[in-house]
């Protein structure tokens, strides 16, 4: 595909670009409307679900405008995913159980063909707005915790955002109340922060843009404040992995110096603020490892739900595990789960085929890796607040990758 021809699919109308970016912000920060405008969740949440579903179907209908051969395998994988998704959803309806989250799993990937039409610069602005909004909400939560009215305030705040959970949405880690800001869930917010931190950090290492460093530190601090140990550890793993890979590829003395100073600063400064190291209690001897390992055994292979799914419908005993990857297999069955996970991992396979050409697109890939790895614990990825920004990174990766590949084709010709 010619580079100019690829850009012709971008939204030309600035109001359309604004609308597309606003919708992604709305999905992740819809809690702002609930908290600040007193709009009930019974209106905001179904409305956001309806909008995301409509956009996904719109993208599915218009997929034909992207006729680049490079996207053929991805489009075919999406089609296989939605075919098996329809089979599964109809089976669930027949069995008397259906959840809107199933729609996100099977139709949300088509958000790619809507989001890929947003200019890269506008997508970055969207990411910064989501980061600023969610960080503000978490820092605001923590401010009220410090003011002395912490428990009552957070309880009321979360009851407004998640009325179905009530007082059980309050969780502590040691002396600290776990806060989640506008999502109403420390797990969901930590998951978004994990994607954001890994993006900002990796982008700074490759492009040396100072504002990305600032936001990587800001989102990391807010991630640590959620005390979501699993998301924190996966974020650290992804950032360390990206750092090692970038060092091998670039061998820059400046990067070595930065990494040393960055790690030293964290080591010296973060322990001065107990909230930033509070998650360590959850990974030490006091950690709840039983929740992770519950029901994990070879006996799972003998369960009919492992092979054919519908574990939630029939209350599979193995669903007590907190490992979302395993829950996914028992919910969808092995074959359908493999297809779903293949969709999530496809960008990584695509990168591995062209690592040298696509190196500068790594910042968009690391959040995708984080998103998949987060399924080692709770499955926040498939929440509406999280899936939109995940596919924004997905779209950014393919948009920039196809442009880079087109440059190579032009040079060869």
């Amino acid at each position: 595909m010619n580079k100019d021809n690829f850009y012709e699919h971008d939204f030309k109308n600035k109001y359309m670009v604004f609308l597309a970016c606003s919708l992604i912000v709305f999905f992740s920060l819809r809690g702002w409307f609930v908290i600040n405008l007193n709009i009930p969740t019974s209106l905001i949440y179904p409305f956001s679900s309806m909008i995301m579903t409509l956009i996904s179907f719109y993208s599915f209908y218009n997929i034909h405008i992207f006729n680049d051969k490079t996207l053929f395998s991805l489009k075919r994988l999406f089609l296989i995913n939605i075919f098996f998704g329809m089979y599964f959803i109809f089976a669930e309806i027949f069995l008397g159980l259906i959840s809107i989250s199933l729609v996100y799993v099977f139709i949300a990937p088509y958000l790619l063909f809507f989001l890929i039409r947003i200019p890269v610069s506008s997508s970055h602005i969207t990411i910064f707005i989501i980061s600023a909004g969610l960080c503000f909400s978490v820092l605001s939560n923590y401010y009220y915790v410090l003011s002395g009215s912490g428990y009552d305030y957070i309880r009321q705040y979360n009851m407004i955002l998640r009325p179905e959970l009530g007082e059980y949405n309050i969780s502590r880690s040691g002396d600290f109340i776990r806060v989640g800001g506008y999502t109403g869930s420390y797990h969901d917010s930590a998951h978004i922060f994990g994607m954001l931190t890994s993006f900002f950090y990796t982008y700074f290492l490759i492009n040396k843009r100072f504002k990305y460093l600032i936001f990587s530190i800001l989102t990391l601090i807010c991630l640590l404040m959620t005390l979501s140990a699993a998301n924190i550890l996966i974020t650290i793993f992804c950032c360390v992995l990206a750092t090692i890979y970038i060092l091998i590829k670039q061998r820059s003395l400046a990067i070595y110096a930065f990494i040393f100073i960055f790690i030293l600063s964290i080591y010296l400064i973060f322990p001065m603020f107990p909230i930033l190291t509070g998650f360590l209690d959850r990974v030490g001897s006091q950690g709840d490892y039983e929740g992770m390992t519950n029901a994990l055994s070879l006996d799972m292979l003998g369960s009919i739900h492992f092979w054919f799914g519908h574990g939630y419908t029939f209350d599979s005993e193995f669903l007590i595990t907190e490992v979302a990857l395993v829950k996914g297999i028992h919910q969808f069955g092995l074959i359908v789960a493999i297809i779903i996970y293949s969709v999530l991992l496809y960008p990584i396979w695509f990168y591995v085929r062209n690592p040298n050409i696509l190196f500068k697109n790594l910042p968009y890939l690391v959040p995708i890796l984080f998103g998949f790895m987060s399924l080692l614990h709770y499955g926040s990825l498939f929440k509406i607040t999280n899936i939109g920004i995940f596919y924004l990174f997905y779209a950014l990766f393919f948009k920039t990758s196809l442009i880079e590949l087109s440059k190579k084709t032009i040079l060869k010709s």
Side-chain angles (χ1 to χ4, degrees):
M1 175 187 287
N2 182 279
K3 179 182 174 183
D4 293 331
N5 288 341
F6 186 82
Y7 277 125
E8 75 178 6
H9 298 309
D10 283 5
F11 293 121
K12 299 299 187 294
N13 189 311
K14 63 180 181 181
Y15 298 108
M16 189 62 194
V17 173
F18 176 79
L19 176 62
C21 294
S22 297
L23 288 174
I24 299 303
V25 172
F26 171 63
F27 294 146
S28 292
L29 301 182
R30 60 183 185 174
W32 182 90
F33 295 86
V34 177
I35 294 295
N36 295 286
L37 300 183
N38 296 319
I39 302 176
T41 58
S42 58
L43 292 178
I44 285 290
Y45 292 178
F47 177 72
S48 60
S49 300
M50 179 186 69
I51 293 298
M52 177 173 284
T53 303
L54 289 175
I55 294 175
S56 300
F57 277 113
Y58 167 82
S59 301
F60 176 76
Y61 178 76
N62 289 281
I63 194 174
H64 62 277
I65 70 174
F66 296 94
N67 53 13
D68 188 282
K69 293 181 180 179
T70 311
L71 291 174
F72 177 76
S73 296
L74 180 61
K75 291 163 72 173
R76 183 170 57 184
L77 180 59
F78 279 10
L79 192 60
I80 294 172
N81 182 61
I82 200 171
F83 173 80
F84 279 92
M86 290 175 63
Y87 141 76
F88 183 83
I89 289 174
F90 281 126
E92 287 281 282
I93 294 174
F94 178 78
L95 294 170
L97 183 67
I98 183 64
S99 170
I100 188 65
S101 63
L102 296 178
V103 177
Y104 306 149
V105 174
F106 297 112
I107 192 64
Y110 283 95
L111 286 172
L112 164 67
F113 296 101
F114 178 80
L115 301 176
I116 205 170
R117 302 176 68 182
I118 302 174
V120 172
S121 58
S122 299
S123 294
H124 278 229
I125 292 172
T126 301
I127 294 169
F128 276 108
I129 292 173
I130 292 173
S131 304
L134 195 58
C135 284
F136 171 80
S137 66
V138 168
L139 292 172
S140 176
N141 276 183
Y142 190 63
Y143 168 79
Y144 281 101
V145 169
L146 290 178
S147 71
S149 58
Y151 184 88
D152 291 335
Y153 170 81
I154 297 299
R155 180 177 180 274
Q156 182 180 9
Y157 187 95
N158 286 343
M159 285 180 66
I160 294 173
L161 290 168
R162 307 288 292 275
E164 75 280 6
L165 298 181
E167 63 180 303
Y168 297 104
N169 200 34
I170 301 298
S171 176
R172 287 181 177 272
S173 182
D175 296 329
F176 301 106
I177 296 174
R178 306 170 79 182
V179 296
Y182 288 141
T183 68
S185 165
Y186 49 86
H187 283 300
D188 295 352
S189 291
H191 186 270
I192 296 175
F193 283 134
M195 289 188 283
L196 294 172
T197 300
S198 57
F199 163 68
F200 287 127
Y201 174 76
T202 310
Y203 194 92
F204 169 76
L205 283 186
I206 293 179
N207 297 284
K208 315 299 188 298
R209 301 283 295 276
F210 188 68
K211 65 180 179 181
Y212 289 85
L213 173 62
I214 296 298
F215 267 80
S216 71
I217 295 173
L218 178 61
T219 52
L220 174 61
I221 289 173
C222 291
L223 168 63
L224 294 174
M225 285 182 172
T226 67
L227 299 169
S228 179
N231 285 299
I232 293 170
L233 292 177
I234 294 170
T235 302
I236 293 172
F237 172 82
C238 290
C239 288
V240 170
L241 187 65
T243 301
I244 295 171
Y245 181 73
I246 292 170
L247 288 175
I248 293 173
K249 296 287 285 185
Q250 290 193 334
R251 299 183 182 277
S252 167
L253 182 61
I255 294 181
Y256 281 103
F258 164 76
I259 297 299
F260 175 76
I261 294 172
F262 187 72
I263 294 175
L264 183 63
S265 298
I266 289 178
Y267 178 77
L268 294 176
I269 297 174
F270 277 30
M272 297 170 60
F273 303 92
I275 183 64
L276 301 182
T277 56
F279 78 97
L280 294 175
D281 291 338
R282 304 188 66 82
V283 299
S285 57
Q286 300 177 13
D288 179 21
Y289 298 106
E290 291 184 5
M292 286 285 292
T293 58
N294 251 340
L296 290 181
S297 70
L298 292 178
D299 293 339
M300 287 182 168
L301 300 178
S303 168
I304 190 172
H305 303 300
F306 182 89
W307 301 99
F308 300 104
H310 305 293
Y312 279 98
T313 304
F314 294 100
D315 295 321
S316 170
E317 61 182 303
F318 297 108
L319 290 175
I320 59 175
T321 179
E322 294 179 359
V323 182
L325 279 171
V326 175
K327 282 188 175 182
I329 295 175
H330 280 79
Q331 181 180 14
F332 302 111
L334 182 62
I335 294 176
V336 179
I338 288 175
I339 295 170
I340 295 169
Y341 300 153
S342 296
V343 169
L344 301 178
L345 289 171
Y346 185 86
I348 297 174
W349 175 82
F350 190 87
Y351 180 89
V352 169
R353 294 171 59 201
N354 307 278
N356 294 324
I357 301 172
L358 305 182
F359 174 69
K360 289 193 174 181
N361 304 327
L362 190 66
Y364 309 121
L365 187 68
V366 179
I368 296 172
L369 174 63
F370 168 86
F372 178 78
M373 290 192 64
S374 68
L375 295 177
L376 291 172
H377 199 41
Y378 289 114
S380 293
L381 176 61
F382 297 120
K383 302 287 185 67
I384 193 171
T385 49
N386 302 55
I387 197 70
I389 191 170
F390 174 83
Y391 278 110
L392 180 61
F393 285 121
Y394 206 104
L396 278 166
F397 173 76
F398 277 104
K399 185 180 186 71
T400 54
S401 294
L402 293 177
I403 292 172
E404 290 300 320
L405 291 172
S406 70
K407 289 180 183 178
K408 180 187 176 184
T409 303
I410 293 171
L411 290 174
K412 280 187 175 182
S413 59

